[in-house]
Amino acid sequence: MTTPYGSDPYLTVDAVWRTESAKLIAVLTRFVRDIGLAEDLAQDAIAIALERWPETGIPDDPGAWLLTTAKRRAIDWIRRNQLRDRKYEEIGRNLKEIPEPNVDSVLSGEIRDDLLRLIFMTCHPGLSRESCVALTLRLLCGLTTDEIGRAFMVKESTVAQRIVRAKRTLKASGVSFDVPADSELTERMPSVLAVIYLVFNEGYSATSGAEWIRPMLCEEAIRLGALLAELVPYDPEVHGLVSLMSIQACRFEARVDSSRNLILLMDQDRTLWDQSLIERGLVALKRAEELGGLSGPYSLQAAIAACHARAKTAADTDWVRIVELYDGLVRLLPTAVVQLNRAVAVSMAFGPIAGLEIVDELRHEPSLQEYHLLPSVRGDFLSKLGQSEEAAMEFRRAAALTRNAAERTFLLQRADDETGKRPSR
């Protein structure tokens, strides 16, 4: 039987796990109160599906089948341990209350709340940022430890250790599996958004490895953002983040050439930008503005991205408006990186000398000493001012600082180009 996932049972199991595992783990965690056990039970259900579906065929509702199977595994587990601890009896009674609906239907009621609980648990402030990212990709996106490791250029064993430690920390800390109260939800939402955007950024501009972009991570981050926007529809910053990621992702096809060489924003072929992603981003930005105006960091960054998306050509970009938006962003996030980004906008709006003045004030900022984009930006300004020798030095300095091979190649090429501009003696 053909389902929305396809007719191949093995491919279907993988596809269903990616789309349904978060719901499955979220529902089970509510009842067994142990995120590690919940994942194990969900994995058991997947293993059973791999055994049975090739013989019996794919069920009409694979998600509901997995939930029912996982529930039965949970009840069996509880029965085996009943004599050891009386509390399992209560959990067993609660598990019988799990409904067996169409899990593929529109999120509603308890499943919606369960997913929200799981998101806030995987992004708990008591965990390190690396652990949050690994746990989120594992439990909410269904990625394997190998996939996460390859995406972040770390060993699979390192990812597995982070996930295990995160689960132990949550269990030892007694973190409750509850939807945060309104006041706590507001307080913790920035942490959740930061984790999702960190995943996106690692896909959009990889910090290390041979590839500059890793679309899979961006796709997972956008999917998580859309899910969160559905779960928390009245938070403007959630919509702002969805807008920002969608508009930035529209540039994928234009960001590298056929040889995987980098192409900067101002040099990209804008006809290659994905218009459907731009439209989705603009709709989300409008929603963010309706809910809270451009009052948050993600909404402001989305508005900046929208300025680029609306410009038919690089020359049409409204750089003065972008500087105004960066002024607002600096007031909210007065970090050195944001100020560096603002310097780029200032240089485009008012000339490279104005941008260079800002960058020179940032040269001794401790947080930027190992940040390759500082010398890269400075080198670009110097190049535009005709100071080729100093520009080449800055590009080489930037190349030495980056850990991404594609970016290093690009920067060294820029340095060589500047060297070639110097008059021979």
Side-chain angles (χ1 to χ4, degrees), residues 24-90:
L24 200 59
I25 295 169
V27 170
L28 292 168
T29 302
R30 170 159 50 97
F31 289 94
V32 301
R33 298 287 165 169
D34 184 327
I35 199 169
L37 174 58
E39 186 188 8
D40 289 343
L41 293 169
Q43 290 278 11
D44 285 348
I46 282 291
I48 294 171
L50 281 169
E51 291 177 2
R52 296 185 184 175
W53 290 3
E55 297 179 1
T56 63
I58 301 166
D60 292 339
D61 189 339
W65 189 98
L66 287 174
L67 179 56
T68 300
T69 302
K71 168 188 168 180
R72 290 170 180 162
R73 295 289 291 180
I75 292 174
D76 289 343
W77 182 88
I78 288 164
R79 285 172 177 161
R80 288 197 302 271
N81 292 277
Q82 271 182 336
L83 297 178
R84 192 175 63 188
D85 195 329
R86 276 177 163 263
K87 69 179 180 181
Y88 295 137
E89 295 180 16
E90 180 182 350

Side-chain angles (χ1 to χ4, degrees), residues 405-421:
E407 201 163 25
R408 185 181 303 112
T409 298
F410 174 81
L411 290 165
L412 289 174
Q413 183 59 57
R414 290 209 68 182
D416 289 344
D417 291 343
E418 293 300 320
T419 300
K421 291 178 183 179

Side-chain angles (χ1 to χ4, degrees), residues 50-253:
L50 281 169
E51 291 177 2
R52 296 185 184 175
W53 290 3
E55 297 179 1
T56 63
I58 301 166
D60 292 339
D61 189 339
W65 189 98
L66 287 174
L67 179 56
T68 300
T69 302
K71 168 188 168 180
R72 290 170 180 162
R73 295 289 291 180
I75 292 174
D76 289 343
W77 182 88
I78 288 164
R79 285 172 177 161
R80 288 197 302 271
N81 292 277
Q82 271 182 336
L83 297 178
R84 192 175 63 188
D85 195 329
R86 276 177 163 263
K87 69 179 180 181
Y88 295 137
E89 295 180 16
E90 180 182 350
I91 296 175
R93 287 193 296 271
N94 289 339
L95 269 169
K96 292 177 182 178
E97 298 172 7
I98 297 180
E100 298 177 10
N102 179 350
V103 194
D104 299 323
S105 62
V106 177
L107 292 176
S108 62
E110 289 184 336
I111 292 181
R112 181 189 299 272
D113 288 344
D114 289 340
L115 280 168
L116 191 57
R117 291 182 183 105
L118 187 61
I119 289 173
F120 275 87
M121 180 172 275
T122 60
C123 299
H124 196 275
L127 301 176
S128 69
R129 190 54 55 85
E130 293 81 5
S131 294
C132 285
V133 168
L135 199 60
T136 296
L137 289 173
R138 179 74 187 124
L139 301 184
L140 287 166
C141 301
L143 300 188
T144 65
T145 52
D146 176 59
E147 287 172 323
I148 299 169
R150 282 189 282 111
F152 284 90
M153 301 300 294
V154 297
K155 294 179 180 179
E156 181 181 359
S157 59
T158 300
V159 174
Q161 289 169 4
R162 288 174 182 172
I163 292 173
V164 169
R165 283 197 299 267
K167 291 176 181 177
R168 286 175 180 168
T169 298
L170 291 172
K171 189 171 184 178
S173 302
V175 174
S176 62
F177 189 66
D178 297 311
V179 177
D182 289 344
S183 58
E184 188 182 1
L185 190 149
T186 301
E187 181 182 330
R188 287 178 55 187
M189 186 61 78
S191 174
V192 174
L193 298 179
V195 170
I196 295 174
Y197 194 42
L198 191 155
V199 172
F200 179 86
N201 272 332
E202 185 58 32
Y204 189 74
S205 184
T207 55
S208 60
E211 295 293 330
W212 193 34
I213 58 176
R214 296 171 187 149
M216 179 188 71
L217 286 178
C218 293
E219 291 165 5
E220 293 298 340
I222 291 173
R223 188 169 70 83
L224 279 177
L227 173 62
L228 192 59
E230 187 176 356
L231 297 172
V232 191
Y234 301 110
D235 189 311
E237 278 295 85
V238 174
H239 294 284
L241 178 59
V242 171
S243 173
L244 173 60
M245 294 190 296
S246 298
I247 294 174
Q248 287 183 322
C250 84
R251 307 170 191 157
F252 274 149
E253 292 299 320

Side-chain angles (χ1 to χ4, degrees), residues 310-358:
R310 291 186 175 113
K312 297 300 182 182
T313 67
D316 294 333
T317 307
D318 188 349
W319 285 105
V320 173
R321 174 57 178 160
I322 291 176
V323 171
E324 292 173 352
L325 291 168
Y326 266 118
D327 289 343
L329 187 59
V330 167
R331 285 192 290 271
L332 286 176
L333 294 175
T335 66
V337 171
V338 172
Q339 293 178 56
L340 179 62
N341 291 336
R342 178 181 175 275
V344 175
V346 168
S347 75
M348 297 301 295
F350 307 112
I353 292 177
L356 187 61
E357 289 176 355
I358 298 172

Side-chain angles (χ1 to χ4, degrees), residues 235-241 243 282-295 298-300 302:
D235 189 311
E237 278 295 85
V238 174
H239 294 284
L241 178 59
S243 173
L282 294 178
V283 168
L285 178 60
K286 182 180 179 181
R287 180 62 175 154
E289 290 181 286
E290 290 171 348
L291 290 170
L294 298 178
S295 57
Y298 294 108
S299 298
L300 281 167

